[in-house]
Amino acid sequence: MGKFVVQPGQSSPVVQPANPAWKLALWIASASGFRAKKFPAPWSLKQSLAIQISNWILYVTQGTMTIQALKTVSKGQNGLGSFILQCKKLDFHYCDWAGSSKGMNGFIKSQLPKFAKSHPQIEFSVSPRPSKHPMIVGHYINGRQKSICVRNMEPLEILKKAELLRDASGEKLKKTNKPVTSINPSVRGVWSPYHGNGMAV
């Protein structure tokens, strides 16, 4: 059996197996290298090194060692629990007399009021851009911008482009070669029958 020990700087007790290999490994981890550098090593580092030395001693002396699962915590992602819209502002630029802005002028009069009313969390700005093609510029909370030129488009086509900028994250487009991409490693890790509290093999 092991005993619970609370080390300085720790809020929760740590189990120390009461076996000679562990005691020897902990003594080696505490004495070797750390005192020579004249600074105390963190207890977590000592414990990790002691576990490795203890497993090596058990493997050499008894032909057995303990396998334990890796401890990790998943990272939060937008949309899990709560969702924050990444688009914070949409700018609509148009020209009063240019033919390429005919669709944009119609969109501003017919579609934009309803679209803005259904998205109160987004700031909408309409400004003239004389002698230039109409554009929609999206501003995102990560500081980036995305713009789409909507020259010679119909109002419904411009609405789809506005929805595209609304749903964008603001990140750069990246090429993916895998069908599933995750930034979080699996919390469970690679499955093995030896995972758990530790099992002699």
Side-chain angles (χ1 to χ4, degrees):
M1 296 296 293
K3 59 181 180 179
F4 288 94
V5 178
V6 179
Q7 295 294 330
Q10 284 192 334
S11 58
S12 58
V14 178
V15 179
Q16 291 186 0
N19 58 64
W22 171 265
K23 293 180 180 179
L24 177 60
L26 186 59
W27 179 83
I28 295 175
S30 300
S32 63
F34 299 124
R35 292 181 181 176
K37 295 180 181 179
K38 297 182 180 180
F39 65 89
W43 171 248
S44 59
L45 183 60
K46 291 182 181 179
Q47 185 186 21
S48 176
L49 183 58
I51 291 174
Q52 297 179 17
I53 298 175
S54 176
N55 288 337
W56 179 80
I57 294 174
L58 290 175
Y59 180 74
V60 172
T61 58
Q62 303 177 12
T64 61
M65 63 185 300
T66 302
I67 297 178
Q68 293 183 346
L70 296 176
K71 297 180 180 179
T72 183
V73 179
S74 63
K75 300 178 182 178
Q77 295 187 33
N78 190 25
L80 297 178
S82 62
F83 175 75
I84 299 176
L85 191 65
Q86 301 298 297
C87 181
K88 65 178 182 179
K89 183 180 180 181
L90 287 176
D91 293 334
F92 296 87
H93 301 289
Y94 69 97
C95 179
D96 288 322
W97 54 269
S100 61
S101 292
K102 181 180 179 181
M104 174 61 85
N105 293 332
F107 169 80
I108 293 174
K109 295 177 182 178
S110 60
Q111 302 292 334
L112 184 57
K114 186 187 301 183
F115 184 74
K117 186 177 180 180
S118 60
H119 299 88
Q121 68 274 33
I122 301 178
E123 178 185 354
F124 291 87
S125 173
V126 180
S127 59
R129 195 165 173 255
S131 303
K132 294 185 181 296
H133 291 305
M135 293 188 65
I136 306 176
V137 182
H139 303 263
Y140 301 89
I141 60 177
N142 62 357
R144 291 182 54 83
Q145 298 180 8
K146 287 187 177 182
S147 59
I148 297 179
C149 181
V150 292
R151 67 178 185 270
N152 299 325
M153 289 188 181
E154 297 296 328
L156 292 180
E157 294 177 330
I158 297 176
L159 177 61
K160 291 182 179 179
K161 296 299 182 181
E163 292 175 347
L164 180 64
L165 289 177
R166 174 202 63 188
D167 297 334
S169 64
E171 298 291 340
K172 289 184 177 180
L173 297 179
K174 299 178 181 179
K175 182 180 179 181
T176 56
N177 298 323
K178 297 181 180 179
V180 178
T181 303
S182 175
I183 62 174
N184 288 335
S186 175
V187 177
R188 297 176 61 185
V190 180
W191 183 87
S192 170
Y194 304 112
H195 284 180
N197 296 327
M199 181 177 180
V201 294

